[in-house]
Amino acid sequence: MYRRVAISSVALLALAITLVQVPAGLAATTLTVAQAISSQSGTGTVRGNVVGEPTATSTVRTSNFTGDTAIAIADSSGETGTSRMLYVQVTSAYRSAFGLRTNPGLMGDPVTVTGTLTAYFSHPGLKSPTAMSAGGGGTTPPTTPPPTTPPTDSYYAAAAGKSGEQLKTALHTIISRGVTTLSYDAVWNALKATDQDPANSNNVILLYSGTSRSKSLNGGNSGNWNREHVWAKSHGDFGTAAGPGTDLHHLRPEDVGVNSLRDNKDFDNGGSAVASAPGNFTDGDSWEPRNAVKGDVARMILYMAVRYEGGDSWPDLEVDNATGSGTAPRIGRISALLQWNAQDPPDAFERNRNQIIYASYQRNRNPFIDHPEWAASVFG
């Protein structure tokens, strides 16, 4: 009798060890979506099914996706109630694999994601993921970052060997083909991705000021940042309608007060120092940006002049060698812009921004970031 009890005790102990090492361990570390929604604190790993792209607190897009920066997951692949969905931020390391605009076929598929359980779009969410994988089990971010440019030889094939006006025409065709336009409201979230501070994912870098500011401080009040049209929208009177008014290639975050000071001025060298944006200068009709973004500004302006040629419902935008053109669809000064393009070549931030716009939003590129030498050929 004693021996039979001892064997039973050993068997029970072995069974308990087996249960602790496998199923219980997984259950303790992987949450359902329902559990994640009710436990919005700390770090967690969640498994769910992709059910759409969140665009607002109670709105999830299930087709015709507009970006790669967020997904909604649910315990059921057929879930339609947003209250039973978890909104997941998709950071740059994962967009090529998990962004719905790039991968619409992910709809309904299971994913596992690890990150901070906190509100996103003012909705139960998971932000700053450290691991994402299809199905079960997390994977760490790739050790090699995604390339900052696609195979540009194929993208710009039609421009090969051309110069001057022929090059401008070829580039216009290339960057106007298959473009997706954004609404002006959608620009807010897009800028939070394109201009994210590389050192702080909660912030954006302001164009003229160069300061890092919380993404949540977007708006129209003092201390907020808003959407700066580098090609002033009054130069062509295109407003904020989808098209040139919402083109991410020339929209940048900027302090509300500094944005107001720049107003609709042309670009040129000289003027008085801007106290609220050190390194910038301004006079009655022109603005000189800080040295670190002079080339960025130039390449944005040159892009706009090539992209919008008047062959559709938008104005024909042109760059000239003057300032003070008012509401005419022109902006200057081209001599300064070409100087700035040469003086300040594209850096990693600008190249990455170009890639995000291409891959996650508009599907087109700024050719003068990929090939800054083309600026002199087209506009010299």
Side-chain angles (χ1 to χ4, degrees):
M1 177 68 68
Y2 175 81
R3 183 179 179 188
R4 186 177 300 142
V5 171
I7 293 172
S8 298
S9 298
V10 170
L12 287 171
L13 178 61
L15 178 60
I17 291 172
T18 301
L19 290 172
V20 168
Q21 286 181 336
V22 185
L26 286 175
T29 57
T30 303
L31 304 173
T32 66
V33 169
Q35 290 171 329
I37 289 172
S38 63
S39 304
Q40 286 284 284
S41 64
T43 299
T45 297
V46 185
R47 182 178 298 134
N49 301 284
V50 179
V51 292
E53 175 198 6
T55 58
T57 303
S58 58
T59 305
V60 171
R61 191 183 294 269
T62 57
S63 62
N64 299 317
F65 304 113
T66 59
D68 287 325
T69 58
I71 58 174
I73 62 174
D75 288 323
S76 168
S77 60
E79 184 61 69
T80 58
T82 58
S83 64
R84 293 179 292 278
M85 297 178 186
L86 187 75
Y87 290 1
V88 177
Q89 180 183 34
V90 182
T91 50
S92 57
Y94 301 103
R95 286 173 193 155
S96 62
F98 293 95
L100 276 174
R101 168 139 184 206
T102 299
N103 307 279
L106 283 175
M107 282 291 289
D109 287 355
V111 296
T112 302
V113 56
T114 301
T116 302
L117 294 170
T118 187
Y120 189 37
F121 287 85
S122 301
H123 181 97
L126 184 150
K127 296 177 68 175
S128 305
T130 57
M132 292 185 77
S133 69
T139 59
T140 56
T143 54
T144 303
T148 56
T149 58
T152 52
D153 286 348
S154 59
Y155 183 78
Y156 294 115
K162 294 182 172 64
S163 62
E165 195 63 31
Q166 287 187 335
L167 176 58
K168 183 181 181 183
T169 300
L171 292 177
H172 168 73
T173 300
I174 292 167
I175 65 178
S176 302
R177 185 174 51 224
V179 175
T180 297
T181 56
L182 280 70
S183 70
Y184 198 45
D185 282 343
V187 168
W188 284 122
N189 283 331
L191 292 181
K192 294 175 184 179
T194 60
D195 291 74
Q196 178 174 293
D197 182 350
N200 185 346
S201 61
N202 294 315
N203 289 10
V204 291
I205 298 293
L206 306 186
L207 176 63
Y208 304 128
S209 312
T211 57
S212 179
R213 187 164 297 177
S214 173
K215 291 178 179 178
S216 65
L217 290 176
N218 61 297
N221 298 321
S222 177
N224 289 163
W225 61 268
N226 58 7
R227 297 157 291 187
E228 153 73 340
H229 289 80
V230 177
W231 186 295
K233 55 184 181 289
S234 64
H235 289 245
D237 196 27
F238 50 72
T240 59
T246 65
D247 195 316
L248 292 173
H249 283 297
H250 85 117
L251 284 163
R252 301 292 291 266
E254 186 49 67
D255 175 80
V256 168
V258 175
N259 195 347
S260 179
L261 287 173
R262 188 257 154 155
D263 196 21
N264 67 346
K265 295 174 181 177
D266 294 77
F267 294 101
D268 200 1
N269 291 302
S272 302
V274 179
S276 54
N280 295 259
F281 299 86
T282 190
D283 57 23
D285 62 4
S286 72
W287 182 274
E288 179 184 347
R290 59 192 175 99
N291 289 338
V293 296
K294 277 185 164 70
D296 305 53
V297 167
R299 288 180 283 274
M300 285 186 277
I301 293 297
L302 301 183
Y303 160 87
M304 292 291 283
V306 171
R307 169 69 180 90
Y308 300 100
E309 292 280 63
D312 42 36
S313 60
W314 299 309
D316 179 8
L317 304 182
E318 296 292 345
V319 188
D320 58 22
N321 207 35
T323 57
S325 57
T327 60
R330 311 183 71 80
I331 208 164
R333 181 181 303 264
I334 186 58
S335 56
L337 295 171
L338 290 175
Q339 172 195 341
W340 297 350
N341 175 64
Q343 171 186 332
D344 173 37
D347 59 14
F349 185 90
E350 189 181 1
R351 291 193 299 270
N352 184 61
R353 188 176 195 278
N354 195 28
Q355 173 64 9
I356 291 172
I357 295 171
Y358 169 77
S360 300
Y361 294 100
Q362 293 182 187
R363 300 299 192 185
N364 73 339
R365 305 182 65 78
N366 182 335
F368 302 106
I369 295 175
D370 295 325
H371 291 277
E373 72 277 7
W374 281 347
S377 178
V378 173
F379 295 97

